[in-house]
Amino acid sequence: MLTLKDYEPIVGTQVLDELKLLGQKLSGKIVQHINSTAVGGGVAEILNRMLPLLKEVGVDARWDVIKGDDKFFAVTKKIHNAIHHSPTAVTPEEFDILLETNRENARNMDFPGDIIFVHDPQPIALVDLKKELGKKWIWRCHIDSSSPLIHVWDMLLPYIQQYDAAIFSASVFAQTLPIHQFLISPSIDPLSDKNRPLPREQVNGILDNFGLDRGRPIITQISRFDRLKDPCGVVEVYQLVKKYTDCQLVLAGGGAADDPEGEAVLAEVREKAANDPDVHILLLPPDSNIEINALQRGSDVIIQKSLKEGFGLTVSEALWKETPVVASAVGGIPLQISHQFNGLLASTIEGIAYNVRQFLHNPKYARLMAQHGKEHVRQNFLITRHLRDYLLLFLAMEYPNQDFVLL
Ligand code: UDP
């Protein structure tokens, strides 16, 4: 099992000493995370790694997943899309499904947390319990909420306002709210199976097993099959690149338990790919961390052509592996990529294709960008920075109006 000590060669001793010091001040406090899926997507990815580290520094961290049926997840997906500004109507009757499911979960769950840390809109209405239970409540929005559809945001507002604080991943996502707001970006764990170094032979073996030809360029997008990740747009990018360069495309993704749209999107992608033998659509089970790691390492270019994005962990994952990334400048992606410094950004299919070709045709330039990318992630998007931000947040919640440095 990994411990904080294992991170020392990556982030240095001082960072770890500070984490331990902050953790001591929270020793024994129960922080209860609540979200809607244990597997798939960025939230589960982070919680899986964050919990053991919180525990190691002394916080009694726990994680509960709310339950819901297909109707509930169909509604919450609509709400998710509406926060991302996708034209989606959510009716009051549909919102009632969310409320009723939240009430049912509230009846069936325990709430031992001193701090209750609710992720995203699915469990948002649990905060109604605050009147009865007290405690500190934090709402963490992982979605790009810079321009939510107003009718949906207005449905959520009476709940958001009951929290003690809201957290957003980027400053542009912040809203006018009567509660405290914090900016905390997500992170990746450099030592998880998804990100740890892999021997070249293992990477090659995995690429071979997927039927990829290592002699020709491989361009890859790793994402749930979700329209907002624009997998069909990625196929079009590939088709443009392919006119000039004989390359292969990998679209690798699985579903998330709280995302009901995956199958329909997958069918659209398959139709678009039209049986091209160089388009590899890989449906990966949730525990495919080593496989994703190998694909991110073994690809010549990683694409993240999202139309909307909360943060886009896949970008930092690829940058950390020094693989060149071409992405769209949406949501949290520009926090991770500065154009022509550590990656390339574009907003159209033609622009992304042009950038992919720049990297394929100029490997020296691609390598330089990728090296910058790794350092940018080391400074800003590793789990140790994220842990520090959370500890400081919990201290701010537990000791309001106090200078906790003097505790
Ligand atoms: N991921 C995965 N399997 C897949 C697709 C994605 O494990 O089939 C991981 C991916 O490596 C990343 C996370 O799920 O760690 C997705 O996070 P991101 O922020 O990119 O997107 P989200 O799915 O949260 O919108």
Side-chain angles (χ1 to χ4, degrees), residues 40-46 80 84 120 142 186-188 194-195 222-226 229 252-256 259 282-289 292-293 296 304 306 308-315 317 321 336:
V43 180
E45 175 79 17
I46 292 169
H80 175 104
H84 268 310
D120 281 337
H142 293 269
S187 62
I188 63 162
K194 171 91 41 88
N195 297 309
I222 309 236
S223 277
R224 291 177 295 106
F225 288 96
D226 179 327
K229 307 284 184 183
D259 180 0
L282 307 179
L283 280 182
L284 301 177
D287 57 351
S288 310
N289 295 321
I292 290 176
N293 188 338
Q296 287 169 330
Q304 191 60 52
S306 305
K308 293 278 177 178
E309 192 57 79
F311 182 72
L313 281 177
T314 47
V315 171
E317 287 167 3
K321 298 173 180 93
Q336 301 173 75

Side-chain angles (χ1 to χ4, degrees), residues 309-329:
E309 192 57 79
F311 182 72
L313 281 177
T314 47
V315 171
S316 277
E317 287 167 3
L319 293 175
W320 181 246
K321 298 173 180 93
E322 293 188 52
T323 304
V325 180
V326 176
S328 40

